[in-house]
Amino acid sequence: MEMMAKAKVVRKRIVLGQISDYAGSSRKYGTAYAAARDIADEVICTGDNAHRSRAGQADRVSGRFVELRTPKEVSDHIKRTAVPGELILLKNSGNLHLERIALAWTHDVRCWIPVCGKKETCQGCGLYEVPFEEHGSFLAKRRFERRRRRFGWLLGGLSLTRRS
């Protein structure tokens, strides 16, 4: 956060998601909010523990603190309120996949489930442009197509298409 504090930009925003650095303590969210507040013009807390920030009413009313439940809500808020030249820091332990907020600026992110259970990043998974409910069928179809391309020659070049 030191680099963020030193940055000379139009506006600074920090998005705080799940914090796993201090397991078992809910005070960590208040501490993280206080540190972020000292640096940023706006602090956005998201996820199941967003309410633990201990942000004051004045910060809530002024818009200095924003509590949003899901990464999709955060992404929509940031896109709606973005200004050229601002700096945004996304801090998360990984389970909320806040990287989708950045990906949404250059990709059509359609997988917005708050917690998918995958340990890898969204870039590693590669399915962020596919709605979460369709991941299973999408992967099955992709596997089938790979097998068809790989083994189609075994059948004399015949196409291995599914019959309905």
Side-chain angles (χ1 to χ4, degrees), residues 98-115:
L98 295 184
E99 66 269 20
R100 294 176 293 182
I101 296 166
L103 284 168
W105 286 92
T106 56
H107 295 82
D108 180 21
V109 175
R110 296 177 62 209
C111 179
W112 285 108
I113 189 163
V115 179

PDB file of all heavy atoms in Angstrom, residues 98-115:
ATOM      1  N   LEU A  98     -11.662 -11.030  -7.331  1.00  0.00           N
ATOM      2  CA  LEU A  98     -11.830  -9.613  -7.672  1.00  0.00           C
ATOM      3  C   LEU A  98     -11.124  -9.231  -8.968  1.00  0.00           C
ATOM      4  O   LEU A  98     -11.394  -8.167  -9.527  1.00  0.00           O
ATOM      5  CB  LEU A  98     -11.339  -8.719  -6.527  1.00  0.00           C
ATOM      6  CG  LEU A  98     -12.124  -8.805  -5.223  1.00  0.00           C
ATOM      7  CD1 LEU A  98     -11.581  -7.782  -4.217  1.00  0.00           C
ATOM      8  CD2 LEU A  98     -13.615  -8.589  -5.443  1.00  0.00           C
ATOM      9  N   GLU A  99     -10.258 -10.098  -9.487  1.00  0.00           N
ATOM     10  CA  GLU A  99      -9.608  -9.789 -10.764  1.00  0.00           C
ATOM     11  C   GLU A  99     -10.619  -9.606 -11.882  1.00  0.00           C
ATOM     12  O   GLU A  99     -10.344  -8.969 -12.885  1.00  0.00           O
ATOM     13  CB  GLU A  99      -8.572 -10.861 -11.130  1.00  0.00           C
ATOM     14  CG  GLU A  99      -9.116 -12.234 -11.432  1.00  0.00           C
ATOM     15  CD  GLU A  99      -9.209 -13.169 -10.222  1.00  0.00           C
ATOM     16  OE1 GLU A  99      -9.205 -12.680  -9.072  1.00  0.00           O
ATOM     17  OE2 GLU A  99      -9.293 -14.385 -10.429  1.00  0.00           O
ATOM     18  N   ARG A 100     -11.821 -10.141 -11.693  1.00  0.00           N
ATOM     19  CA  ARG A 100     -12.872  -9.957 -12.710  1.00  0.00           C
ATOM     20  C   ARG A 100     -13.236  -8.487 -12.886  1.00  0.00           C
ATOM     21  O   ARG A 100     -13.657  -8.066 -13.963  1.00  0.00           O
ATOM     22  CB  ARG A 100     -14.119 -10.764 -12.339  1.00  0.00           C
ATOM     23  CG  ARG A 100     -13.881 -12.265 -12.387  1.00  0.00           C
ATOM     24  CD  ARG A 100     -15.077 -13.025 -11.925  1.00  0.00           C
ATOM     25  NE  ARG A 100     -15.312 -12.797 -10.504  1.00  0.00           N
ATOM     26  CZ  ARG A 100     -16.289 -13.369  -9.810  1.00  0.00           C
ATOM     27  NH1 ARG A 100     -17.149 -14.171 -10.408  1.00  0.00           N
ATOM     28  NH2 ARG A 100     -16.437 -13.136  -8.528  1.00  0.00           N
ATOM     29  N   ILE A 101     -13.064  -7.707 -11.833  1.00  0.00           N
ATOM     30  CA  ILE A 101     -13.356  -6.270 -11.916  1.00  0.00           C
ATOM     31  C   ILE A 101     -12.432  -5.620 -12.942  1.00  0.00           C
ATOM     32  O   ILE A 101     -12.873  -4.825 -13.771  1.00  0.00           O
ATOM     33  CB  ILE A 101     -13.225  -5.610 -10.524  1.00  0.00           C
ATOM     34  CG1 ILE A 101     -14.284  -6.193  -9.577  1.00  0.00           C
ATOM     35  CG2 ILE A 101     -13.324  -4.094 -10.624  1.00  0.00           C
ATOM     36  CD1 ILE A 101     -14.060  -5.873  -8.108  1.00  0.00           C
ATOM     37  N   ALA A 102     -11.158  -5.975 -12.911  1.00  0.00           N
ATOM     38  CA  ALA A 102     -10.206  -5.451 -13.898  1.00  0.00           C
ATOM     39  C   ALA A 102     -10.454  -6.071 -15.272  1.00  0.00           C
ATOM     40  O   ALA A 102     -10.430  -5.368 -16.285  1.00  0.00           O
ATOM     41  CB  ALA A 102      -8.774  -5.725 -13.443  1.00  0.00           C
ATOM     42  N   LEU A 103     -10.712  -7.368 -15.311  1.00  0.00           N
ATOM     43  CA  LEU A 103     -10.971  -8.047 -16.584  1.00  0.00           C
ATOM     44  C   LEU A 103     -12.178  -7.455 -17.314  1.00  0.00           C
ATOM     45  O   LEU A 103     -12.215  -7.427 -18.543  1.00  0.00           O
ATOM     46  CB  LEU A 103     -11.211  -9.539 -16.360  1.00  0.00           C
ATOM     47  CG  LEU A 103      -9.981 -10.398 -16.072  1.00  0.00           C
ATOM     48  CD1 LEU A 103     -10.401 -11.780 -15.587  1.00  0.00           C
ATOM     49  CD2 LEU A 103      -9.119 -10.501 -17.315  1.00  0.00           C
ATOM     50  N   ALA A 104     -13.159  -6.985 -16.555  1.00  0.00           N
ATOM     51  CA  ALA A 104     -14.391  -6.460 -17.156  1.00  0.00           C
ATOM     52  C   ALA A 104     -14.150  -5.208 -18.003  1.00  0.00           C
ATOM     53  O   ALA A 104     -15.007  -4.841 -18.811  1.00  0.00           O
ATOM     54  CB  ALA A 104     -15.427  -6.172 -16.069  1.00  0.00           C
ATOM     55  N   TRP A 105     -13.005  -4.578 -17.869  1.00  0.00           N
ATOM     56  CA  TRP A 105     -12.690  -3.406 -18.688  1.00  0.00           C
ATOM     57  C   TRP A 105     -12.278  -3.805 -20.098  1.00  0.00           C
ATOM     58  O   TRP A 105     -12.386  -3.005 -21.029  1.00  0.00           O
ATOM     59  CB  TRP A 105     -11.591  -2.570 -18.034  1.00  0.00           C
ATOM     60  CG  TRP A 105     -12.112  -1.823 -16.862  1.00  0.00           C
ATOM     61  CD1 TRP A 105     -12.110  -2.253 -15.565  1.00  0.00           C
ATOM     62  CD2 TRP A 105     -12.764  -0.558 -16.866  1.00  0.00           C
ATOM     63  NE1 TRP A 105     -12.721  -1.318 -14.769  1.00  0.00           N
ATOM     64  CE2 TRP A 105     -13.124  -0.267 -15.538  1.00  0.00           C
ATOM     65  CE3 TRP A 105     -13.072   0.363 -17.865  1.00  0.00           C
ATOM     66  CZ2 TRP A 105     -13.778   0.909 -15.179  1.00  0.00           C
ATOM     67  CZ3 TRP A 105     -13.726   1.543 -17.505  1.00  0.00           C
ATOM     68  CH2 TRP A 105     -14.068   1.800 -16.189  1.00  0.00           C
ATOM     69  N   THR A 106     -11.794  -5.037 -20.256  1.00  0.00           N
ATOM     70  CA  THR A 106     -11.303  -5.461 -21.578  1.00  0.00           C
ATOM     71  C   THR A 106     -11.969  -6.725 -22.100  1.00  0.00           C
ATOM     72  O   THR A 106     -11.717  -7.120 -23.235  1.00  0.00           O
ATOM     73  CB  THR A 106      -9.778  -5.707 -21.519  1.00  0.00           C
ATOM     74  OG1 THR A 106      -9.501  -6.676 -20.493  1.00  0.00           O
ATOM     75  CG2 THR A 106      -9.027  -4.417 -21.224  1.00  0.00           C
ATOM     76  N   HIS A 107     -12.792  -7.374 -21.285  1.00  0.00           N
ATOM     77  CA  HIS A 107     -13.453  -8.620 -21.679  1.00  0.00           C
ATOM     78  C   HIS A 107     -14.927  -8.566 -21.299  1.00  0.00           C
ATOM     79  O   HIS A 107     -15.323  -7.783 -20.436  1.00  0.00           O
ATOM     80  CB  HIS A 107     -12.812  -9.825 -20.973  1.00  0.00           C
ATOM     81  CG  HIS A 107     -11.406 -10.072 -21.369  1.00  0.00           C
ATOM     82  ND1 HIS A 107     -10.340  -9.386 -20.822  1.00  0.00           N
ATOM     83  CD2 HIS A 107     -10.866 -10.928 -22.266  1.00  0.00           C
ATOM     84  CE1 HIS A 107      -9.218  -9.818 -21.354  1.00  0.00           C
ATOM     85  NE2 HIS A 107      -9.507 -10.746 -22.242  1.00  0.00           N
ATOM     86  N   ASP A 108     -15.701  -9.438 -21.910  1.00  0.00           N
ATOM     87  CA  ASP A 108     -17.118  -9.562 -21.586  1.00  0.00           C
ATOM     88  C   ASP A 108     -17.266 -10.591 -20.462  1.00  0.00           C
ATOM     89  O   ASP A 108     -17.561 -11.755 -20.695  1.00  0.00           O
ATOM     90  CB  ASP A 108     -17.913  -9.994 -22.818  1.00  0.00           C
ATOM     91  CG  ASP A 108     -19.402 -10.136 -22.543  1.00  0.00           C
ATOM     92  OD1 ASP A 108     -19.887  -9.542 -21.548  1.00  0.00           O
ATOM     93  OD2 ASP A 108     -20.078 -10.849 -23.307  1.00  0.00           O
ATOM     94  N   VAL A 109     -17.008 -10.153 -19.231  1.00  0.00           N
ATOM     95  CA  VAL A 109     -17.085 -11.057 -18.080  1.00  0.00           C
ATOM     96  C   VAL A 109     -18.548 -11.416 -17.850  1.00  0.00           C
ATOM     97  O   VAL A 109     -19.395 -10.543 -17.703  1.00  0.00           O
ATOM     98  CB  VAL A 109     -16.467 -10.421 -16.818  1.00  0.00           C
ATOM     99  CG1 VAL A 109     -16.661 -11.320 -15.604  1.00  0.00           C
ATOM    100  CG2 VAL A 109     -14.993 -10.126 -17.043  1.00  0.00           C
ATOM    101  N   ARG A 110     -18.830 -12.716 -17.828  1.00  0.00           N
ATOM    102  CA  ARG A 110     -20.203 -13.180 -17.634  1.00  0.00           C
ATOM    103  C   ARG A 110     -20.307 -14.146 -16.462  1.00  0.00           C
ATOM    104  O   ARG A 110     -21.390 -14.588 -16.110  1.00  0.00           O
ATOM    105  CB  ARG A 110     -20.701 -13.824 -18.929  1.00  0.00           C
ATOM    106  CG  ARG A 110     -20.758 -12.784 -20.057  1.00  0.00           C
ATOM    107  CD  ARG A 110     -21.166 -13.333 -21.376  1.00  0.00           C
ATOM    108  NE  ARG A 110     -22.503 -13.885 -21.313  1.00  0.00           N
ATOM    109  CZ  ARG A 110     -22.912 -14.884 -22.093  1.00  0.00           C
ATOM    110  NH1 ARG A 110     -22.107 -15.410 -22.979  1.00  0.00           N
ATOM    111  NH2 ARG A 110     -24.132 -15.336 -21.989  1.00  0.00           N
ATOM    112  N   CYS A 111     -19.181 -14.501 -15.875  1.00  0.00           N
ATOM    113  CA  CYS A 111     -19.171 -15.364 -14.696  1.00  0.00           C
ATOM    114  C   CYS A 111     -18.993 -14.461 -13.478  1.00  0.00           C
ATOM    115  O   CYS A 111     -17.902 -14.007 -13.175  1.00  0.00           O
ATOM    116  CB  CYS A 111     -18.031 -16.384 -14.768  1.00  0.00           C
ATOM    117  SG  CYS A 111     -17.947 -17.458 -13.313  1.00  0.00           S
ATOM    118  N   TRP A 112     -20.090 -14.197 -12.790  1.00  0.00           N
ATOM    119  CA  TRP A 112     -20.066 -13.280 -11.657  1.00  0.00           C
ATOM    120  C   TRP A 112     -20.497 -13.946 -10.360  1.00  0.00           C
ATOM    121  O   TRP A 112     -20.854 -13.264  -9.409  1.00  0.00           O
ATOM    122  CB  TRP A 112     -20.937 -12.061 -11.934  1.00  0.00           C
ATOM    123  CG  TRP A 112     -20.322 -11.101 -12.898  1.00  0.00           C
ATOM    124  CD1 TRP A 112     -20.704 -10.874 -14.179  1.00  0.00           C
ATOM    125  CD2 TRP A 112     -19.210 -10.230 -12.659  1.00  0.00           C
ATOM    126  NE1 TRP A 112     -19.894  -9.932 -14.755  1.00  0.00           N
ATOM    127  CE2 TRP A 112     -18.970  -9.509 -13.839  1.00  0.00           C
ATOM    128  CE3 TRP A 112     -18.383  -9.997 -11.559  1.00  0.00           C
ATOM    129  CZ2 TRP A 112     -17.949  -8.566 -13.962  1.00  0.00           C
ATOM    130  CZ3 TRP A 112     -17.369  -9.062 -11.680  1.00  0.00           C
ATOM    131  CH2 TRP A 112     -17.163  -8.350 -12.868  1.00  0.00           C
ATOM    132  N   ILE A 113     -20.460 -15.271 -10.290  1.00  0.00           N
ATOM    133  CA  ILE A 113     -20.831 -15.930  -9.043  1.00  0.00           C
ATOM    134  C   ILE A 113     -19.879 -15.418  -7.952  1.00  0.00           C
ATOM    135  O   ILE A 113     -18.672 -15.342  -8.171  1.00  0.00           O
ATOM    136  CB  ILE A 113     -20.813 -17.465  -9.175  1.00  0.00           C
ATOM    137  CG1 ILE A 113     -21.416 -18.091  -7.945  1.00  0.00           C
ATOM    138  CG2 ILE A 113     -19.413 -17.980  -9.439  1.00  0.00           C
ATOM    139  CD1 ILE A 113     -21.823 -19.536  -8.144  1.00  0.00           C
ATOM    140  N   PRO A 114     -20.407 -15.019  -6.802  1.00  0.00           N
ATOM    141  CA  PRO A 114     -19.533 -14.424  -5.784  1.00  0.00           C
ATOM    142  C   PRO A 114     -18.384 -15.338  -5.341  1.00  0.00           C
ATOM    143  O   PRO A 114     -17.251 -14.903  -5.258  1.00  0.00           O
ATOM    144  CB  PRO A 114     -20.480 -14.120  -4.629  1.00  0.00           C
ATOM    145  CG  PRO A 114     -21.782 -13.888  -5.293  1.00  0.00           C
ATOM    146  CD  PRO A 114     -21.809 -14.869  -6.449  1.00  0.00           C
ATOM    147  N   VAL A 115     -18.661 -16.604  -5.079  1.00  0.00           N
ATOM    148  CA  VAL A 115     -17.610 -17.535  -4.655  1.00  0.00           C
ATOM    149  C   VAL A 115     -17.801 -18.834  -5.422  1.00  0.00           C
ATOM    150  O   VAL A 115     -18.763 -19.559  -5.193  1.00  0.00           O
ATOM    151  CB  VAL A 115     -17.676 -17.795  -3.131  1.00  0.00           C
ATOM    152  CG1 VAL A 115     -16.591 -18.773  -2.710  1.00  0.00           C
ATOM    153  CG2 VAL A 115     -17.550 -16.493  -2.343  1.00  0.00           C
TER     154      VAL A 115
END
